[in-house]
Amino acid sequence: MPEMGTLFRSELMCRCQLYLPPEAAYNCVAELGELGLVQFVDVNPEVSSFQRQFVSEIKRCEEMERKLRFIETEVIRENLDVDQDEIEPMAPAPREMVELENSLTTVENNLTEVNTNYVALRKNHLELTEYKNMLKQAEIFLSETRFNFQDSDETTNPEENGVSDVKDEHASMKFNIVAGVIDRARQVAFEKMLWRVSKGNVFIKFSDIEEEMEDPKTGNTLYKSVFMIFFQGEELKTRVQKICEGFHAAVYPCSEHGKERRERMMGVNTRLEDLHTILTQTTDHRHRLLLAASRTLKSSYVKVRKMKAIYHILNQFSLRDSQRVLIGECWMPTADIPAIKSAITTGAQNAGSSVVPTIERVPTTEDHPTFNRVNKYTIGFQALIDSYGINSYREVNPSVYTIATFPFLFAVMFGDAGHGLIMLSFALWMIIAESSLEKKRDISEIFNIFFGGRYIIFLMSLFSIYTGLIYNDIFSKSLNIFGTNWSTNMTFAANESAPLKLGETLMLDPKNPNQYTGVPYPFGVDPAWQAATNKIGFLNTYKMKISLIFGVVHMSFGVILSLWNKVSNRRYHEIFLEFFPQIFFLLFLFGYLVVMIFIKWLMYGANYADPFSEHCAPNLLITFINMMLFKKADVDPKLEGCHTDGMNYEIYMYSGQGGLQKFLVIFAVLMVPIMLFGKPAHKIYKRKQEAARRGTMRDELLGGDAPPEEEEEGFGDIMINQGIHTIEYVLGSVSHTASYLRLWALSLAHAQLSEVLWIMVMRNAFSSTSYVGSIMIYLIFAAWAAMTISILVLMEGLSAFLHTLRLHWVEFQSKFYEGAGYAFLPFSFRTVLKEAAADDKEVMKSISSA
C-alpha cells in the first residue's frame, strides 16, 4: 500500500503529464478547477504571453470583465443591492461565450445611451434652472434699483429714475446689462477682476441661489450665485464678456423690459415642467435596466472569471501530434489521483469526446511542493508554522503538536481564569456566528486576523482557565472551593484596647503545625496564599522551576522529532553522528537539572526533620554551576543537622552525586566533537568511495580519456558549515533553556498587573459608605472592566502570544524544522474568485472615493 500523507507530515506528491483531446480540454480543466487538487506547470516558459494559443479568448474575457465592472459601478451609484447567488454557477461552455458577450454588450450600450441622454437632460435642466433664477433675481433687482428701465419706452427720464443731478447730455446714455450665473467660490476673484479691468466703471450685484443644484455628470452639489453687471460702452462690454468666459460663468440674455422678462420666465417654467417629466421617465427606465442587470451581475462575474482562468491554464499546455492532443504537466497528491482521473473523464464525457484523457507519472528530481491538508480547526495553527517557513517536502509538520503546546505555553504566561473567560466568550461568539461573520470578515484587517484564529483563541482561553485555576487566580482573587488547609486566623476584630493595625503582615509558614495541617490543597494553589505577604516568593520558586521543566521537555521533544526526519529521509548515519550527540548533550546537562528539581521536591520539605528540612535543601543553581566547573561546594559547619551518615545533604542529595555529575559533564562535552567532525568525516568518506567507483567505471568505458569532473565543495567549506550548526546548537541549548524563563517572568507580571489594577481601581468602589458610593461603584466597575479588557486581556494577551510564538519558532522548531519548502498552490476556482473579489473591493473603493 502506498505511503499516505497524514496530519503529521505533508502529502506524498507526484509530477504527472496530462494528455487531453483539444475538444475536451476546456471541460477537463474546468472540472479540475472545481476539484482544486492540481498545480499546473508551464511547459512553454520561453513563449511570450502574447504568442500563446488562447490569447484572443483571454482578451475577450477581460473585455467582458470591463463591461461588468462598468455595470457594477452604475449599480453602486444607483444604491442598488447586488443579488448574491446561493448556488455558484459552473464554468460555462465555450459556445456560451458569444451569448454572454452579446448580452453584456447590449446592456452596456443601453446604459451608455441612457446615461448620455440623462446627462444631456440634466445639463439642460441645470441651465434652465440657472436661467430661471437669473430672471427672478433680475426682476427683483431692476424693480428696486435706481436703474428703472421703462417697459414701453426706451428713452430714459432722469427725473423719474431718480438721477436729478445728471446733466442733460448724459440723459440719453444707455446702460449695458450682462447677467448670468457663477460658482460662489469664484465670486470674489470675479468681482476683483471686473473692478481692475474696468477701473471701477462697472456696477455689479450678486445674489445667492438658494435652490439646490447638482452637477449633471458627477452628481455633486453646486453652489452658485446670480450676477448682474451694469456698465457703459461697447469696448467694456467685450472685456466683460471675455472675463465671464474666463471664469466659466454662464451668461444668459436679460431684457431691459419687464414684460419680456416675465414672458421668458413663463416659457422657462413650462420647459422645466416638461423636462422634469422626461427626467423622471428616463430615471425610471435607467433604474429598470440596472435592476435587471444587478440580478445576474455576480453570476456573470463568476462565469467570466472561470472562463478566463481556464484559458490561462490552457495557455500553459503544449499542442502536439499535429494538433490532436494537448499535453500539460502538473503536481498532484498521489492519494487523489483516482479523483483527478474521474474528474477529467467526466469533463471529456460532457464535451462529447470519444478520446479518453490520460494521466502519466513523470519521474523528476525537482523539489516537490508541500501540501498539508487542513480544515477550519487546524488552518490557524498551520498558518503560524507557514509564517516561519513552508515545510520541506515530507518533513515533520510541527503544527499538529502546536495545537497542544501553543495554547498551553500561552496559558502558563496568561494564567487567569477570569481573563480566560473573557477570551472564551469572544471566541465562542466568533465560532457560533462564524457563518454570518464569514461574510463580514473583510470589513477590518484586524478583525480578519482575529476571526481566522478563532479556534486558536478558543483553545488559549480554555488553557488559560485551567492554569488560572491551578494558580487559583481569578481577576487577582482566589476561590476557596475545597476549603483551605491553613489554620491561620484571618478574622479581625478592632476595639479600643486592640485597635486594627492595617500595616500588620501575614506570613504563612508550612513548618508551623499550628498553621498548616500538612495536607495539600486538592487542586492548585491554596487560597490562603492570596493574603500572605510571602506569596510572591512562594509562587516565584514554583513558576521558575516549572518553566525550566516545560522548556527542557519541549526542546527534548523537538530533538526527538528530528529523528523522524532522519529515518524518513534514510539518513541513518545522522542518527549516530547528530541525533544521539544532541539528545545526550541536552539531557545530560539540562535534563539532569530537571531531575534534580524533582528530587529536591520529593526529598526535602518545610515540615520534614533534618537532614531533609528546608534548611538542608541545596541551592540548585549553585549546584549546577559547581557541576559545570567541577568545583566542590564548601561544607557549612553551622548546618550540623544536615550532616548524617557521611552525607552533606546541603550539598548533595544522594550518594555518588558528585561522581555522576562529573561523568555527565564529561560525556556531554565529548558529544561536541562528534557533532563537529562526524558528518564532515562521513561526507568525505562517502565522496571518496563514490569517486573510486566512478573512476573504475570510467576506466572501463573510456579507457582513461575522460573529461574533468566538476569541482566539489571543499573540506574547509564543509567544516565551516558544520561548525556553525554545532556552535548554534551548543550555545542555543544554554540560551534556549534560559529563554523559557519568560514563562515565569510573564506569568508573574500578569498576576501583579491584575492585582495592582484591582487595588488601585476596583477596591476604591468599596471604600465609600454613603449613598454616593452606590452610584460610584457602577462607574468604577466600568473603568476597571475597560482597563481589564484593554490592558490585561488585549495588550497582555498579545504580549504572551508573541512570546509563545517565539518559543515555538526559535526554541522548539530550530531543533528539527528546516522550513525550506514551497507551498502547493493548486488551480482552484474558489481561490481565483476569492482573489478577484478582493481586487474588486479595492477597485470599488477607488471608484467610490473618486
Side-chain angles (χ1 to χ4, degrees):
M1 185 174 178
E3 187 179 2
M4 306 291 286
T6 64
L7 187 62
F8 301 93
R9 296 179 68 192
S10 61
E11 288 286 333
L12 196 65
M13 306 295 292
C14 65
R15 185 156 180 166
C16 299
Q17 277 190 340
L18 293 178
Y19 296 89
L20 306 178
E23 67 275 7
Y26 179 94
N27 295 78
C28 292
V29 174
E31 292 294 331
L32 294 178
E34 298 290 348
L35 192 62
L37 289 172
V38 176
Q39 176 180 332
F40 289 93
V41 179
D42 191 358
V43 297
N44 307 306
E46 71 284 352
V47 180
S48 171
S49 301
F50 301 100
Q51 298 175 343
R52 304 286 177 116
Q53 184 177 0
F54 299 97
V55 172
S56 59
E57 284 80 1
I58 292 178
K59 288 183 177 179
R60 290 168 64 186
C61 292
E62 290 177 348
E63 179 63 17
M64 285 190 286
E65 272 190 301
R66 183 197 63 78
K67 295 175 182 178
L68 286 169
R69 192 165 286 114
F70 165 73
I71 296 171
E72 186 178 11
T73 304
E74 296 299 319
V75 169
I76 292 175
R77 287 176 178 173
E78 194 69 15
N79 295 324
L80 292 177
D81 294 330
V82 179
D83 293 342
Q84 301 287 344
D85 297 330
E86 296 182 359
I87 301 177
E88 182 181 294
M90 301 291 290
R95 60 180 177 274
E96 295 181 22
M97 179 182 285
V98 178
E99 181 181 349
L100 188 57
E101 274 183 313
N102 294 336
S103 174
L104 294 177
T105 302
T106 302
V107 175
E108 183 192 28
N109 292 337
N110 291 339
L111 282 176
T112 303
E113 182 180 358
V114 171
N115 287 342
T116 303
N117 295 336
Y118 186 69
V119 170
L121 290 172
R122 291 187 63 184
K123 184 178 181 182
N124 193 8
H125 185 272
L126 177 64
E127 292 174 353
L128 290 176
T129 304
E130 291 178 349
Y131 193 20
K132 181 189 73 171
N133 282 276
M134 189 277 294
L135 291 174
K136 180 180 178 182
Q137 295 299 327
E139 186 68 25
I140 296 174
F141 181 68
L142 293 177
S143 62
E144 293 178 352
T145 61
R146 56 185 177 177
F147 302 99
N148 188 13
F149 297 95
Q150 300 295 324
D151 293 345
S152 59
D153 193 357
E154 294 183 0
T155 60
T156 309
N157 190 337
E159 295 294 331
E160 294 178 355
N161 288 285
V163 191
S164 58
D165 297 332
V166 182
K167 296 182 179 181
D168 294 339
E169 60 268 26
H170 295 154
S172 61
M173 295 180 63
K174 182 179 179 182
F175 285 93
N176 293 324
I177 301 176
V178 174
V181 177
I182 191 172
D183 195 342
R184 291 184 195 175
R186 300 173 181 170
Q187 181 176 318
V188 177
F190 180 64
E191 186 176 5
K192 287 182 179 179
M193 183 61 71
L194 284 172
W195 183 263
R196 291 173 181 174
V197 171
S198 66
K199 299 179 180 180
N201 292 321
V202 297
F203 177 76
I204 185 168
K205 177 70 174 177
F206 289 101
S207 178
D208 293 343
I209 299 177
E210 301 297 336
E211 185 176 352
E212 185 177 343
M213 293 183 294
E214 293 183 353
D215 189 286
K217 294 182 179 179
T218 63
N220 297 330
T221 304
L222 300 176
Y223 301 95
K224 295 193 174 185
S225 299
V226 174
F227 67 86
M228 294 191 71
I229 308 172
F230 299 89
F231 57 90
Q232 291 179 331
E234 292 298 324
E235 183 178 354
L236 190 56
K237 181 179 181 180
T238 304
R239 294 181 181 179
V240 169
Q241 289 176 344
K242 288 184 177 180
I243 293 173
C244 292
E245 182 179 351
F247 279 84
H248 301 285
V251 178
Y252 297 101
C254 180
S255 176
E256 301 174 354
H257 307 289
K259 181 179 180 181
E260 187 174 347
R261 290 196 300 271
R262 287 187 288 273
E263 289 177 353
R264 290 186 178 181
M265 177 69 79
M266 293 175 61
V268 169
N269 287 332
T270 303
R271 291 176 61 188
L272 280 173
E273 292 176 359
D274 296 340
L275 198 57
H276 179 73
T277 303
I278 298 173
L279 275 172
T280 302
Q281 294 176 352
T282 305
T283 303
D284 292 341
H285 179 57
R286 181 173 180 272
H287 182 80
R288 287 193 296 270
L289 286 176
L290 291 175
L291 189 63
S294 66
R295 292 169 182 165
T296 58
L297 183 63
K298 287 300 179 183
S299 61
S300 299
Y301 259 131
V302 172
K303 292 178 181 178
V304 170
R305 282 165 177 164
K306 284 186 176 182
M307 283 193 294
K308 182 181 175 182
I310 293 171
Y311 285 120
H312 176 74
I313 294 299
L314 289 176
N315 273 338
Q316 299 180 11
F317 281 64
S318 176
L319 188 61
R320 300 177 188 174
D321 196 11
S322 302
Q323 298 187 350
R324 289 185 297 180
V325 63
L326 278 169
I327 301 177
E329 293 190 5
C330 57
W331 294 101
M332 61 181 66
T334 304
D336 295 316
I337 290 179
I340 295 171
K341 287 183 178 180
S342 176
I344 61 175
T345 302
T346 302
Q349 292 174 353
N350 294 337
S353 174
S354 57
V355 181
V356 179
T358 57
I359 298 177
E360 289 186 3
R361 292 196 185 189
V362 178
T364 179
T365 57
E366 292 184 25
D367 292 336
H368 292 45
T370 300
F371 176 43
N372 295 301
R373 295 188 190 271
V374 293
N375 50 41
K376 65 179 181 179
Y377 307 106
T378 61
I379 189 172
F381 294 97
Q382 188 65 52
L384 293 178
I385 304 302
D386 293 343
S387 298
Y388 177 82
I390 305 296
N391 310 41
S392 299
Y393 178 64
R394 300 293 289 168
E395 186 180 18
V396 172
N397 184 13
S399 65
V400 61
Y401 313 105
T402 304
I403 294 174
T405 59
F406 191 92
F408 176 72
L409 293 181
F410 170 87
V412 172
M413 294 181 278
F414 193 75
D416 190 294
H419 302 157
L421 282 173
I422 296 175
M423 290 180 58
L424 179 62
S425 60
F426 179 62
L428 286 176
W429 170 69
M430 289 191 293
I431 292 173
I432 294 172
E434 66 180 12
S435 57
S436 60
L437 293 176
E438 182 73 33
K439 304 174 184 178
K440 306 174 184 177
R441 62 183 303 174
D442 295 331
I443 58 176
S444 171
E445 185 177 357
I446 295 178
F447 178 75
N448 189 18
I449 295 173
F450 278 110
F451 184 76
R454 59 193 180 278
Y455 290 100
I456 300 178
I457 299 174
F458 175 72
L459 288 178
M460 290 193 304
S461 63
L462 291 181
F463 277 87
S464 297
I465 294 172
Y466 169 75
T467 54
L469 294 175
I470 290 291
Y471 299 155
N472 207 345
D473 202 355
I474 303 175
F475 295 119
S476 77
K477 298 301 169 186
S478 298
L479 292 179
N480 190 3
I481 302 175
F482 303 101
T484 179
N485 291 315
W486 291 83
S487 303
T488 303
N489 184 11
M490 302 178 64
T491 303
F492 300 97
N495 50 53
E496 294 181 358
S497 59
L500 180 63
K501 297 179 181 180
L502 296 179
E504 202 168 0
T505 60
L506 173 64
M507 297 285 291
L508 294 183
D509 188 2
K511 67 176 178 295
N512 187 351
N514 296 324
Q515 285 189 356
Y516 185 51
T517 61
V519 179
Y521 194 67
F523 184 80
V525 177
D526 196 296
W529 285 101
Q530 178 64 31
T533 53
N534 57 339
K535 178 183 73 169
I536 295 180
F538 166 71
L539 292 178
N540 263 356
T541 57
Y542 165 69
K543 292 182 179 180
M544 182 173 62
K545 289 181 175 63
I546 65 171
S547 298
L548 288 175
I549 295 171
F550 293 153
V552 173
V553 171
H554 200 210
M555 291 189 297
S556 301
F557 181 63
V559 177
I560 292 173
L561 287 179
S562 67
L563 176 63
W564 192 351
N565 283 332
K566 298 179 191 333
V567 173
S568 300
N569 296 326
R570 298 181 180 179
R571 298 196 296 262
Y572 301 112
H573 64 282
E574 293 185 2
I575 298 176
F576 300 95
L577 301 177
E578 190 173 68
F579 168 72
F580 283 128
Q582 286 181 351
I583 195 67
F584 288 155
F585 180 85
L586 182 63
L587 293 181
F588 282 13
L589 295 181
F590 302 102
Y592 176 71
L593 178 61
V594 171
V595 172
M596 285 196 296
I597 291 175
F598 281 102
I599 293 175
K600 183 177 179 180
W601 279 346
L602 294 174
M603 289 184 59
Y604 298 88
N607 51 0
Y608 289 1
D610 290 339
F612 302 111
S613 65
E614 59 178 352
H615 302 292
C616 297
N619 188 311
L620 294 184
L621 179 60
I622 300 299
T623 302
F624 188 73
I625 293 174
N626 292 335
M627 167 184 166
M628 299 300 298
L629 299 177
F630 292 96
K631 178 182 178 182
K632 185 176 181 180
D634 297 330
V635 179
D636 191 352
K638 297 179 181 179
L639 301 176
E640 295 180 359
C642 303
H643 308 152
T644 58
D645 300 329
M647 283 287 298
N648 299 321
Y649 283 97
E650 81 278 11
I651 299 176
Y652 295 122
M653 293 181 286
Y654 55 91
S655 59
Q657 181 177 347
L660 177 62
Q661 290 178 170
K662 291 180 181 179
F663 168 77
L664 293 177
V665 173
I666 294 173
F667 196 88
V669 172
L670 290 177
M671 296 297 103
V672 177
I674 297 177
M675 287 188 282
L676 180 61
F677 299 107
K679 286 181 64 177
H682 179 269
K683 184 176 291 187
I684 296 299
Y685 171 73
K686 296 297 289 185
R687 183 182 294 178
K688 289 182 178 179
Q689 276 191 333
E690 183 67 18
R693 187 182 64 82
R694 289 180 179 178
T696 304
M697 294 179 61
R698 184 169 55 248
D699 293 340
E700 293 176 355
L701 296 175
L702 303 177
D705 297 330
E709 296 182 358
E710 296 182 1
E711 185 178 355
E712 295 180 338
E713 185 181 9
F715 181 74
D717 296 333
I718 297 174
M719 283 301 303
I720 291 174
N721 183 51
Q722 187 62 28
I724 292 173
H725 287 290
T726 303
I727 294 173
E728 180 185 8
Y729 180 82
V730 173
L731 297 182
S733 297
V734 180
S735 62
H736 292 174
T737 303
S739 180
Y740 278 90
L741 291 176
R742 72 185 67 235
L743 299 173
W744 155 56
L746 266 74
S747 175
L748 177 64
H750 186 79
Q752 290 303 302
L753 277 175
S754 181
E755 186 172 355
V756 167
L757 188 62
W758 180 276
I759 294 173
M760 300 296 292
V761 180
M762 194 60 196
R763 196 168 67 176
N764 296 328
F766 309 106
S767 61
S768 177
T769 57
S770 63
Y771 292 106
V772 179
S774 61
I775 300 175
M776 290 299 296
I777 191 171
Y778 291 97
L779 301 177
I780 294 175
F781 174 78
W784 174 80
M787 286 187 282
T788 296
I789 294 175
S790 59
I791 298 176
L792 296 180
V793 177
L794 289 178
M795 293 179 60
E796 281 287 301
L798 180 60
S799 174
F801 180 88
L802 294 177
H803 282 282
T804 308
L805 196 60
R806 182 242 153 79
L807 289 177
H808 281 78
W809 280 359
V810 180
E811 279 73 20
F812 175 57
Q813 292 178 194
S814 63
K815 303 296 184 295
F816 68 97
Y817 189 65
E818 185 179 10
Y822 66 98
F824 174 64
L825 301 174
F827 169 60
S828 172
F829 286 144
R830 180 179 298 178
T831 304
V832 170
L833 296 176
K834 185 177 180 180
E835 293 175 353
D839 294 338
D840 284 344
K841 288 184 178 179
E842 296 298 325
V843 173
M844 290 300 111
K845 284 181 181 178
S846 61
I847 292 175
S848 59
S849 61

